[in-house]
PDB file of all heavy atoms in Angstrom:
ATOM      1  N   PRO A 205     -69.676 266.928-203.203  1.00 96.00           N
ATOM      2  CA  PRO A 205     -69.698 265.464-203.586  1.00 96.00           C
ATOM      3  C   PRO A 205     -70.936 264.940-204.262  1.00 96.00           C
ATOM      4  O   PRO A 205     -72.053 265.331-203.906  1.00 96.00           O
ATOM      5  CB  PRO A 205     -69.586 264.773-202.236  1.00 96.00           C
ATOM      6  CG  PRO A 205     -69.839 265.716-201.208  1.00 96.00           C
ATOM      7  CD  PRO A 205     -69.728 267.144-201.816  1.00 96.00           C
ATOM      8  N   LYS A 206     -70.844 264.113-205.195  1.00 96.00           N
ATOM      9  CA  LYS A 206     -71.894 263.428-206.024  1.00 96.00           C
ATOM     10  C   LYS A 206     -72.892 264.547-206.698  1.00 96.00           C
ATOM     11  O   LYS A 206     -74.024 264.277-206.927  1.00 96.00           O
ATOM     12  CB  LYS A 206     -72.708 262.552-204.995  1.00 96.00           C
ATOM     13  CG  LYS A 206     -71.991 261.420-204.469  1.00 96.00           C
ATOM     14  CD  LYS A 206     -72.837 260.603-203.474  1.00 96.00           C
ATOM     15  CE  LYS A 206     -71.985 259.642-202.853  1.00 96.00           C
ATOM     16  NZ  LYS A 206     -72.689 258.854-201.885  1.00 96.00           N
ATOM     17  N   ARG A 207     -72.065 265.586-207.079  1.00 97.00           N
ATOM     18  CA  ARG A 207     -72.832 266.683-207.821  1.00 97.00           C
ATOM     19  C   ARG A 207     -71.967 267.016-208.924  1.00 97.00           C
ATOM     20  O   ARG A 207     -70.789 267.142-208.800  1.00 97.00           O
ATOM     21  CB  ARG A 207     -73.195 267.848-206.949  1.00 97.00           C
ATOM     22  CG  ARG A 207     -74.141 267.478-205.867  1.00 97.00           C
ATOM     23  CD  ARG A 207     -74.683 268.666-205.142  1.00 97.00           C
ATOM     24  NE  ARG A 207     -75.659 268.243-204.224  1.00 97.00           N
ATOM     25  CZ  ARG A 207     -76.945 268.192-204.593  1.00 97.00           C
ATOM     26  NH1 ARG A 207     -77.343 268.734-205.730  1.00 97.00           N
ATOM     27  NH2 ARG A 207     -77.962 267.837-203.732  1.00 97.00           N
ATOM     28  N   ASN A 208     -72.555 267.399-210.122  1.00 97.00           N
ATOM     29  CA  ASN A 208     -71.774 267.695-211.291  1.00 97.00           C
ATOM     30  C   ASN A 208     -72.436 268.752-212.210  1.00 97.00           C
ATOM     31  O   ASN A 208     -73.585 268.984-211.991  1.00 97.00           O
ATOM     32  CB  ASN A 208     -71.276 266.487-211.997  1.00 97.00           C
ATOM     33  CG  ASN A 208     -72.459 265.658-212.566  1.00 97.00           C
ATOM     34  OD1 ASN A 208     -73.416 266.227-213.215  1.00 97.00           O
ATOM     35  ND2 ASN A 208     -72.541 264.395-212.284  1.00 97.00           N
ATOM     36  N   ALA A 209     -71.811 269.156-213.237  1.00 97.00           N
ATOM     37  CA  ALA A 209     -72.317 270.156-214.195  1.00 97.00           C
ATOM     38  C   ALA A 209     -73.569 269.536-214.959  1.00 97.00           C
ATOM     39  O   ALA A 209     -74.494 270.346-215.249  1.00 97.00           O
ATOM     40  CB  ALA A 209     -71.166 270.527-215.131  1.00 97.00           C
ATOM     41  N   HIS A 210     -73.540 268.320-215.226  1.00 98.00           N
ATOM     42  CA  HIS A 210     -74.683 267.713-215.955  1.00 98.00           C
ATOM     43  C   HIS A 210     -75.901 267.808-215.118  1.00 98.00           C
ATOM     44  O   HIS A 210     -77.085 268.100-215.589  1.00 98.00           O
ATOM     45  CB  HIS A 210     -74.468 266.240-216.188  1.00 98.00           C
ATOM     46  CG  HIS A 210     -73.362 266.085-217.240  1.00 98.00           C
ATOM     47  ND1 HIS A 210     -73.448 266.440-218.546  1.00 98.00           N
ATOM     48  CD2 HIS A 210     -72.062 265.683-217.126  1.00 98.00           C
ATOM     49  CE1 HIS A 210     -72.335 266.246-219.242  1.00 98.00           C
ATOM     50  NE2 HIS A 210     -71.412 265.687-218.366  1.00 98.00           N
ATOM     51  N   GLN A 211     -75.811 267.657-213.828  1.00 98.00           N
ATOM     52  CA  GLN A 211     -77.010 267.762-212.917  1.00 98.00           C
ATOM     53  C   GLN A 211     -77.471 269.188-212.881  1.00 98.00           C
ATOM     54  O   GLN A 211     -78.741 269.436-212.846  1.00 98.00           O
ATOM     55  CB  GLN A 211     -76.726 267.282-211.595  1.00 98.00           C
ATOM     56  CG  GLN A 211     -76.386 265.780-211.485  1.00 98.00           C
ATOM     57  CD  GLN A 211     -75.713 265.405-210.180  1.00 98.00           C
ATOM     58  OE1 GLN A 211     -74.952 266.095-209.637  1.00 98.00           O
ATOM     59  NE2 GLN A 211     -76.228 264.203-209.570  1.00 98.00           N
ATOM     60  N   ALA A 212     -76.627 270.137-212.927  1.00 98.00           N
ATOM     61  CA  ALA A 212     -76.910 271.532-212.969  1.00 98.00           C
ATOM     62  C   ALA A 212     -77.691 271.825-214.224  1.00 98.00           C
ATOM     63  O   ALA A 212     -78.721 272.513-214.237  1.00 98.00           O
ATOM     64  CB  ALA A 212     -75.634 272.450-212.891  1.00 98.00           C
ATOM     65  N   MET A 213     -77.253 271.379-215.320  1.00 98.00           N
ATOM     66  CA  MET A 213     -77.817 271.677-216.607  1.00 98.00           C
ATOM     67  C   MET A 213     -79.266 270.975-216.638  1.00 98.00           C
ATOM     68  O   MET A 213     -80.190 271.598-217.157  1.00 98.00           O
ATOM     69  CB  MET A 213     -77.018 270.980-217.836  1.00 98.00           C
ATOM     70  CG  MET A 213     -75.710 271.714-217.974  1.00 98.00           C
ATOM     71  SD  MET A 213     -75.910 273.555-218.435  1.00 98.00           S
ATOM     72  CE  MET A 213     -76.854 273.322-220.019  1.00 98.00           C
ATOM     73  N   HIS A 214     -79.398 269.867-216.015  1.00 98.00           N
ATOM     74  CA  HIS A 214     -80.768 269.204-215.982  1.00 98.00           C
ATOM     75  C   HIS A 214     -81.656 270.068-215.205  1.00 98.00           C
ATOM     76  O   HIS A 214     -82.887 270.225-215.587  1.00 98.00           O
ATOM     77  CB  HIS A 214     -80.601 267.794-215.232  1.00 98.00           C
ATOM     78  CG  HIS A 214     -81.886 267.141-215.120  1.00 98.00           C
ATOM     79  ND1 HIS A 214     -82.589 266.498-216.156  1.00 98.00           N
ATOM     80  CD2 HIS A 214     -82.625 266.843-214.048  1.00 98.00           C
ATOM     81  CE1 HIS A 214     -83.735 266.065-215.688  1.00 98.00           C
ATOM     82  NE2 HIS A 214     -83.787 266.214-214.445  1.00 98.00           N
ATOM     83  N   THR A 215     -81.254 270.581-214.089  1.00 98.00           N
ATOM     84  CA  THR A 215     -82.049 271.468-213.268  1.00 98.00           C
ATOM     85  C   THR A 215     -82.462 272.729-214.079  1.00 98.00           C
ATOM     86  O   THR A 215     -83.625 273.200-213.912  1.00 98.00           O
ATOM     87  CB  THR A 215     -81.365 271.924-211.894  1.00 98.00           C
ATOM     88  OG1 THR A 215     -80.904 270.651-211.328  1.00 98.00           O
ATOM     89  CG2 THR A 215     -82.203 272.679-211.047  1.00 98.00           C
ATOM     90  N   ILE A 216     -81.487 273.274-214.777  1.00 98.00           N
ATOM     91  CA  ILE A 216     -81.840 274.413-215.663  1.00 98.00           C
ATOM     92  C   ILE A 216     -82.915 274.120-216.716  1.00 98.00           C
ATOM     93  O   ILE A 216     -83.850 274.830-216.829  1.00 98.00           O
ATOM     94  CB  ILE A 216     -80.555 274.986-216.313  1.00 98.00           C
ATOM     95  CG1 ILE A 216     -79.658 275.561-215.209  1.00 98.00           C
ATOM     96  CG2 ILE A 216     -80.931 275.954-217.367  1.00 98.00           C
ATOM     97  CD1 ILE A 216     -78.264 275.951-215.754  1.00 98.00           C
ATOM     98  N   VAL A 217     -82.763 272.972-217.296  1.00 98.00           N
ATOM     99  CA  VAL A 217     -83.665 272.511-218.318  1.00 98.00           C
ATOM    100  C   VAL A 217     -85.061 272.342-217.707  1.00 98.00           C
ATOM    101  O   VAL A 217     -86.072 272.791-218.269  1.00 98.00           O
ATOM    102  CB  VAL A 217     -83.223 271.154-219.034  1.00 98.00           C
ATOM    103  CG1 VAL A 217     -84.359 270.554-219.947  1.00 98.00           C
ATOM    104  CG2 VAL A 217     -82.042 271.456-219.991  1.00 98.00           C
ATOM    105  N   GLU A 218     -85.190 271.744-216.538  1.00 98.00           N
ATOM    106  CA  GLU A 218     -86.454 271.629-215.777  1.00 98.00           C
ATOM    107  C   GLU A 218     -87.161 272.944-215.571  1.00 98.00           C
ATOM    108  O   GLU A 218     -88.251 273.059-215.738  1.00 98.00           O
ATOM    109  CB  GLU A 218     -86.320 270.740-214.609  1.00 98.00           C
ATOM    110  CG  GLU A 218     -86.033 269.295-214.875  1.00 98.00           C
ATOM    111  CD  GLU A 218     -87.061 268.617-215.652  1.00 98.00           C
ATOM    112  OE1 GLU A 218     -88.269 268.672-215.372  1.00 98.00           O
ATOM    113  OE2 GLU A 218     -86.680 268.008-216.650  1.00 98.00           O
ATOM    114  N   ALA A 219     -86.254 273.931-215.148  1.00 97.00           N
ATOM    115  CA  ALA A 219     -86.868 275.234-214.781  1.00 97.00           C
ATOM    116  C   ALA A 219     -87.383 275.988-216.017  1.00 97.00           C
ATOM    117  O   ALA A 219     -88.385 276.563-216.104  1.00 97.00           O
ATOM    118  CB  ALA A 219     -85.704 276.026-214.172  1.00 97.00           C
ATOM    119  N   LEU A 220     -86.647 275.719-217.156  1.00 98.00           N
ATOM    120  CA  LEU A 220     -87.083 276.210-218.469  1.00 98.00           C
ATOM    121  C   LEU A 220     -88.375 275.646-218.897  1.00 98.00           C
ATOM    122  O   LEU A 220     -89.397 276.374-219.354  1.00 98.00           O
ATOM    123  CB  LEU A 220     -86.136 276.132-219.598  1.00 98.00           C
ATOM    124  CG  LEU A 220     -84.796 277.018-219.431  1.00 98.00           C
ATOM    125  CD1 LEU A 220     -83.715 276.433-220.388  1.00 98.00           C
ATOM    126  CD2 LEU A 220     -85.104 278.402-219.666  1.00 98.00           C
ATOM    127  N   ARG A 221     -88.462 274.341-218.727  1.00 98.00           N
ATOM    128  CA  ARG A 221     -89.750 273.622-219.054  1.00 98.00           C
ATOM    129  C   ARG A 221     -90.892 274.081-218.199  1.00 98.00           C
ATOM    130  O   ARG A 221     -92.125 273.890-218.646  1.00 98.00           O
ATOM    131  CB  ARG A 221     -89.517 272.143-219.009  1.00 98.00           C
ATOM    132  CG  ARG A 221     -88.663 271.640-220.089  1.00 98.00           C
ATOM    133  CD  ARG A 221     -88.528 270.060-220.133  1.00 98.00           C
ATOM    134  NE  ARG A 221     -87.695 269.547-221.200  1.00 98.00           N
ATOM    135  CZ  ARG A 221     -87.020 268.554-221.073  1.00 98.00           C
ATOM    136  NH1 ARG A 221     -86.973 267.712-220.005  1.00 98.00           N
ATOM    137  NH2 ARG A 221     -86.249 268.134-222.209  1.00 98.00           N
ATOM    138  N   SER A 222     -90.711 274.524-216.984  1.00 97.00           N
ATOM    139  CA  SER A 222     -91.712 274.943-216.094  1.00 97.00           C
ATOM    140  C   SER A 222     -92.229 276.327-216.321  1.00 97.00           C
ATOM    141  O   SER A 222     -93.045 276.894-215.577  1.00 97.00           O
ATOM    142  CB  SER A 222     -91.288 274.734-214.677  1.00 97.00           C
ATOM    143  OG  SER A 222     -90.362 275.775-214.324  1.00 97.00           O
ATOM    144  N   GLY A 223     -91.666 276.942-217.414  1.00 97.00           N
ATOM    145  CA  GLY A 223     -92.051 278.343-217.748  1.00 97.00           C
ATOM    146  C   GLY A 223     -91.164 279.406-217.212  1.00 97.00           C
ATOM    147  O   GLY A 223     -91.429 280.608-217.433  1.00 97.00           O
ATOM    148  N   ARG A 224     -90.091 279.116-216.595  1.00 97.00           N
ATOM    149  CA  ARG A 224     -89.128 280.099-216.117  1.00 97.00           C
ATOM    150  C   ARG A 224     -88.183 280.387-217.215  1.00 97.00           C
ATOM    151  O   ARG A 224     -87.036 279.809-217.167  1.00 97.00           O
ATOM    152  CB  ARG A 224     -88.511 279.585-214.836  1.00 97.00           C
ATOM    153  CG  ARG A 224     -89.517 279.575-213.681  1.00 97.00           C
ATOM    154  CD  ARG A 224     -88.857 278.779-212.423  1.00 97.00           C
ATOM    155  NE  ARG A 224     -89.723 278.727-211.398  1.00 97.00           N
ATOM    156  CZ  ARG A 224     -90.637 277.775-211.215  1.00 97.00           C
ATOM    157  NH1 ARG A 224     -90.777 276.733-212.066  1.00 97.00           N
ATOM    158  NH2 ARG A 224     -91.492 277.874-210.137  1.00 97.00           N
ATOM    159  N   THR A 225     -88.572 281.189-218.191  1.00 98.00           N
ATOM    160  CA  THR A 225     -87.803 281.343-219.426  1.00 98.00           C
ATOM    161  C   THR A 225     -87.006 282.719-219.468  1.00 98.00           C
ATOM    162  O   THR A 225     -86.182 282.911-220.406  1.00 98.00           O
ATOM    163  CB  THR A 225     -88.773 281.261-220.659  1.00 98.00           C
ATOM    164  OG1 THR A 225     -89.783 282.321-220.502  1.00 98.00           O
ATOM    165  CG2 THR A 225     -89.278 279.899-220.826  1.00 98.00           C
ATOM    166  N   GLU A 226     -87.161 283.553-218.430  1.00 98.00           N
ATOM    167  CA  GLU A 226     -86.342 284.795-218.292  1.00 98.00           C
ATOM    168  C   GLU A 226     -85.103 284.398-217.525  1.00 98.00           C
ATOM    169  O   GLU A 226     -85.225 283.913-216.458  1.00 98.00           O
ATOM    170  CB  GLU A 226     -87.124 285.874-217.643  1.00 98.00           C
ATOM    171  CG  GLU A 226     -86.432 287.148-217.780  1.00 98.00           C
ATOM    172  CD  GLU A 226     -87.387 288.330-217.497  1.00 98.00           C
ATOM    173  OE1 GLU A 226     -88.493 288.221-217.586  1.00 98.00           O
ATOM    174  OE2 GLU A 226     -86.747 289.477-217.222  1.00 98.00           O
ATOM    175  N   VAL A 227     -83.944 284.507-218.112  1.00 97.00           N
ATOM    176  CA  VAL A 227     -82.672 284.008-217.498  1.00 97.00           C
ATOM    177  C   VAL A 227     -81.702 285.084-217.286  1.00 97.00           C
ATOM    178  O   VAL A 227     -81.400 285.950-218.194  1.00 97.00           O
ATOM    179  CB  VAL A 227     -81.982 283.028-218.413  1.00 97.00           C
ATOM    180  CG1 VAL A 227     -80.755 282.431-217.897  1.00 97.00           C
ATOM    181  CG2 VAL A 227     -83.050 281.789-218.785  1.00 97.00           C
ATOM    182  N   LEU A 228     -81.206 285.188-215.988  1.00 96.00           N
ATOM    183  CA  LEU A 228     -80.123 286.070-215.565  1.00 96.00           C
ATOM    184  C   LEU A 228     -78.881 285.160-215.443  1.00 96.00           C
ATOM    185  O   LEU A 228     -78.891 284.277-214.532  1.00 96.00           O
ATOM    186  CB  LEU A 228     -80.477 286.747-214.283  1.00 96.00           C
ATOM    187  CG  LEU A 228     -79.307 287.524-213.569  1.00 96.00           C
ATOM    188  CD1 LEU A 228     -78.919 288.692-214.477  1.00 96.00           C
ATOM    189  CD2 LEU A 228     -79.804 288.101-212.289  1.00 96.00           C
ATOM    190  N   ASP A 229     -77.892 285.336-216.281  1.00 96.00           N
ATOM    191  CA  ASP A 229     -76.740 284.577-216.272  1.00 96.00           C
ATOM    192  C   ASP A 229     -75.708 285.479-215.562  1.00 96.00           C
ATOM    193  O   ASP A 229     -75.392 286.489-215.940  1.00 96.00           O
ATOM    194  CB  ASP A 229     -76.281 284.301-217.723  1.00 96.00           C
ATOM    195  CG  ASP A 229     -74.979 283.449-217.733  1.00 96.00           C
ATOM    196  OD1 ASP A 229     -74.648 282.825-216.745  1.00 96.00           O
ATOM    197  OD2 ASP A 229     -74.360 283.404-218.826  1.00 96.00           O
ATOM    198  N   ALA A 230     -75.231 284.929-214.413  1.00 95.00           N
ATOM    199  CA  ALA A 230     -74.280 285.794-213.640  1.00 95.00           C
ATOM    200  C   ALA A 230     -73.032 285.064-213.177  1.00 95.00           C
ATOM    201  O   ALA A 230     -73.000 283.807-213.074  1.00 95.00           O
ATOM    202  CB  ALA A 230     -75.038 286.198-212.367  1.00 95.00           C
ATOM    203  N   ASP A 231     -72.066 285.853-213.009  1.00 95.00           N
ATOM    204  CA  ASP A 231     -70.737 285.446-212.515  1.00 95.00           C
ATOM    205  C   ASP A 231     -70.286 286.485-211.561  1.00 95.00           C
ATOM    206  O   ASP A 231     -70.376 287.706-211.774  1.00 95.00           O
ATOM    207  CB  ASP A 231     -69.775 285.271-213.701  1.00 95.00           C
ATOM    208  CG  ASP A 231     -68.294 285.023-213.228  1.00 95.00           C
ATOM    209  OD1 ASP A 231     -68.124 284.127-212.530  1.00 95.00           O
ATOM    210  OD2 ASP A 231     -67.399 285.856-213.796  1.00 95.00           O
ATOM    211  N   LEU A 232     -69.741 286.064-210.400  1.00 96.00           N
ATOM    212  CA  LEU A 232     -69.322 287.030-209.349  1.00 96.00           C
ATOM    213  C   LEU A 232     -67.852 287.474-209.657  1.00 96.00           C
ATOM    214  O   LEU A 232     -66.938 286.747-210.122  1.00 96.00           O
ATOM    215  CB  LEU A 232     -69.229 286.362-208.008  1.00 96.00           C
ATOM    216  CG  LEU A 232     -70.754 285.934-207.574  1.00 96.00           C
ATOM    217  CD1 LEU A 232     -70.697 285.424-206.229  1.00 96.00           C
ATOM    218  CD2 LEU A 232     -71.679 287.209-207.551  1.00 96.00           C
ATOM    219  N   SER A 233     -67.637 288.748-209.588  1.00 95.00           N
ATOM    220  CA  SER A 233     -66.329 289.298-209.832  1.00 95.00           C
ATOM    221  C   SER A 233     -65.355 289.021-208.765  1.00 95.00           C
ATOM    222  O   SER A 233     -65.478 289.349-207.587  1.00 95.00           O
ATOM    223  CB  SER A 233     -66.464 290.964-209.960  1.00 95.00           C
ATOM    224  OG  SER A 233     -65.336 291.569-210.274  1.00 95.00           O
ATOM    225  N   LYS A 234     -64.202 288.294-209.324  1.00 95.00           N
ATOM    226  CA  LYS A 234     -63.193 287.964-208.328  1.00 95.00           C
ATOM    227  C   LYS A 234     -63.645 287.360-207.029  1.00 95.00           C
ATOM    228  O   LYS A 234     -63.170 287.693-206.005  1.00 95.00           O
ATOM    229  CB  LYS A 234     -62.244 289.178-208.119  1.00 95.00           C
ATOM    230  CG  LYS A 234     -61.616 289.707-209.211  1.00 95.00           C
ATOM    231  CD  LYS A 234     -60.789 290.927-209.031  1.00 95.00           C
ATOM    232  CE  LYS A 234     -60.270 291.449-210.293  1.00 95.00           C
ATOM    233  NZ  LYS A 234     -59.504 292.721-210.185  1.00 95.00           N
ATOM    234  N   TYR A 235     -64.714 286.468-207.078  1.00 96.00           N
ATOM    235  CA  TYR A 235     -65.356 285.960-205.885  1.00 96.00           C
ATOM    236  C   TYR A 235     -64.343 285.357-204.886  1.00 96.00           C
ATOM    237  O   TYR A 235     -64.275 285.636-203.666  1.00 96.00           O
ATOM    238  CB  TYR A 235     -66.376 284.885-206.358  1.00 96.00           C
ATOM    239  CG  TYR A 235     -67.016 284.308-205.123  1.00 96.00           C
ATOM    240  CD1 TYR A 235     -67.655 285.156-204.166  1.00 96.00           C
ATOM    241  CD2 TYR A 235     -67.019 282.868-204.866  1.00 96.00           C
ATOM    242  CE1 TYR A 235     -68.287 284.424-203.036  1.00 96.00           C
ATOM    243  CE2 TYR A 235     -67.590 282.332-203.784  1.00 96.00           C
ATOM    244  CZ  TYR A 235     -68.208 283.097-202.800  1.00 96.00           C
ATOM    245  OH  TYR A 235     -68.753 282.614-201.685  1.00 96.00           O
ATOM    246  N   PHE A 236     -63.483 284.415-205.216  1.00 95.00           N
ATOM    247  CA  PHE A 236     -62.649 283.789-204.341  1.00 95.00           C
ATOM    248  C   PHE A 236     -61.666 284.686-203.606  1.00 95.00           C
ATOM    249  O   PHE A 236     -61.103 284.487-202.551  1.00 95.00           O
ATOM    250  CB  PHE A 236     -61.923 282.453-204.917  1.00 95.00           C
ATOM    251  CG  PHE A 236     -62.755 281.395-205.229  1.00 95.00           C
ATOM    252  CD1 PHE A 236     -63.553 281.302-206.299  1.00 95.00           C
ATOM    253  CD2 PHE A 236     -62.907 280.388-204.234  1.00 95.00           C
ATOM    254  CE1 PHE A 236     -64.332 280.241-206.569  1.00 95.00           C
ATOM    255  CE2 PHE A 236     -63.762 279.311-204.547  1.00 95.00           C
ATOM    256  CZ  PHE A 236     -64.407 279.183-205.659  1.00 95.00           C
ATOM    257  N   ASP A 237     -61.383 285.815-204.297  1.00 94.00           N
ATOM    258  CA  ASP A 237     -60.418 286.809-203.789  1.00 94.00           C
ATOM    259  C   ASP A 237     -61.117 287.895-202.991  1.00 94.00           C
ATOM    260  O   ASP A 237     -60.392 288.588-202.159  1.00 94.00           O
ATOM    261  CB  ASP A 237     -59.752 287.541-204.862  1.00 94.00           C
ATOM    262  CG  ASP A 237     -58.905 286.664-205.778  1.00 94.00           C
ATOM    263  OD1 ASP A 237     -58.383 285.591-205.189  1.00 94.00           O
ATOM    264  OD2 ASP A 237     -58.646 286.919-207.033  1.00 94.00           O
ATOM    265  N   THR A 238     -62.454 287.958-202.968  1.00 96.00           N
ATOM    266  CA  THR A 238     -63.059 289.013-202.245  1.00 96.00           C
ATOM    267  C   THR A 238     -64.030 288.678-201.144  1.00 96.00           C
ATOM    268  O   THR A 238     -64.638 289.494-200.584  1.00 96.00           O
ATOM    269  CB  THR A 238     -63.921 289.813-203.303  1.00 96.00           C
ATOM    270  OG1 THR A 238     -64.836 288.986-203.961  1.00 96.00           O
ATOM    271  CG2 THR A 238     -63.053 290.482-204.357  1.00 96.00           C
ATOM    272  N   ILE A 239     -64.138 287.309-200.795  1.00 97.00           N
ATOM    273  CA  ILE A 239     -65.052 286.961-199.775  1.00 97.00           C
ATOM    274  C   ILE A 239     -64.559 287.668-198.449  1.00 97.00           C
ATOM    275  O   ILE A 239     -63.420 287.484-198.017  1.00 97.00           O
ATOM    276  CB  ILE A 239     -65.016 285.395-199.577  1.00 97.00           C
ATOM    277  CG1 ILE A 239     -65.509 284.667-200.913  1.00 97.00           C
ATOM    278  CG2 ILE A 239     -65.879 284.998-198.396  1.00 97.00           C
ATOM    279  CD1 ILE A 239     -65.252 283.192-200.800  1.00 97.00           C
TER     280      ILE A 239
END
């Protein structure tokens, strides 16, 4: 609730601005099916 993709992007931009420029982009394989 009260959270969205734009807020996530803002958090990413802030991290990049703080010098955290090495990025690991990840997606879990069949996550909802394998928990």
Side-chain angles (χ1 to χ4, degrees):
K206 298 180 183 169
R207 295 186 171 270
N208 59 51
H210 294 289
Q211 293 167 320
M213 292 300 297
H214 176 75
T215 304
I216 291 168
V217 168
E218 290 301 311
L220 289 167
R221 287 183 179 152
S222 73
R224 292 169 179 88
T225 56
E226 192 164 338
V227 179
L228 170 61
D229 182 15
D231 172 50
L232 296 179
S233 182
K234 301 179 182 176
Y235 176 58
F236 286 85
D237 296 332
T238 59
I239 300 171

